[in-house]
Amino acid sequence: MNMMNRFTPGPDTLHDFRSALSRFATGVTVVTCQSDRGPLGITANSFASVSLEPPLVLWSPAKSSSRHAAFAAAEHFAIHVLDASQQEVCKQFTRDGLDFTGLEVDQRPNGTPVIQGCLAQFECTRFAAHDAGDHTIILGKVDAAAARDGAPLIFSAGRLGTFGN
């Protein structure tokens, strides 16, 4: 059995802390909103369900992101759970938040861009935002949701993949 490397998180152990966090596999999402520059998207793996009643979800953009201010200010946003075939969509919004090239996008009456073809969609109104160190925790009340069957895109230990049975 491998021995665990025990450490105290801090400035000198950032790499170790990030490596330990990467052991938790997550799904991959793209979050979208309308911004003063037009439709905006960002890849995020910080999505989580919070409450069924009321229906609440959360995600946490990094304050260091050039897109942070737009998402922190957005009253409406959509969270898209990517399926296993959407690695390029993941990478597209990692590189450029304004590049919706090749995607079928519907714009809701409130301005929120919603990407079609994802595994699940959650259209949200901002419920609360909380300062959380180098991130902001954004809670959204889910106004509409959609889902289909399929395999999710997974992120673990710095790599994208799928869940194998």
Side-chain angles (χ1 to χ4, degrees):
M1 180 192 293
N2 291 339
M3 294 297 295
M4 294 184 76
N5 175 27
R6 189 171 180 345
F7 60 92
T8 301
D12 296 335
T13 59
L14 287 177
H15 175 75
D16 293 330
F17 186 53
R18 184 178 203 123
S19 179
L21 291 170
S22 78
R23 299 311 189 255
F24 182 72
T26 66
V28 181
T29 69
V30 169
V31 184
T32 58
C33 72
Q34 191 57 246
S35 74
D36 58 0
R37 295 170 39 203
L40 187 66
I42 191 169
T43 300
N45 67 344
S46 58
F47 171 72
S49 62
V50 175
S51 170
L52 294 177
E53 189 53 45
L56 299 175
V57 296
L58 69 76
W59 76 289
S60 305
K63 292 178 182 176
S64 62
S65 170
S66 62
R67 296 172 245 178
H68 177 270
F71 282 105
E75 287 297 318
H76 302 279
F77 57 93
I79 299 172
H80 308 81
V81 177
L82 300 185
D83 79 11
S85 70
Q86 294 180 304
Q87 286 192 24
E88 287 307 312
V89 176
C90 167
K91 293 174 185 175
Q92 186 169 337
F93 287 103
T94 299
R95 293 185 299 262
D96 184 349
L98 299 171
D99 183 8
F100 284 76
T101 304
L103 300 175
E104 182 182 338
V105 180
D106 293 334
Q107 191 166 359
R108 297 300 188 243
N110 63 23
T112 305
V114 177
I115 301 168
Q116 299 305 305
C118 297
L119 200 56
Q121 304 164 335
F122 301 91
E123 298 174 41
C124 302
T125 300
R126 185 175 55 185
F127 184 80
H130 301 283
D131 181 62
D134 57 5
H135 284 65
T136 298
I137 298 170
I138 299 175
L139 287 147
K141 180 183 173 292
V142 179
D143 301 315
R148 65 172 176 80
D149 288 338
L153 183 60
I154 303 294
F155 182 74
S156 179
R159 296 188 336 230
L160 294 169
T162 61
F163 181 76
N165 291 342

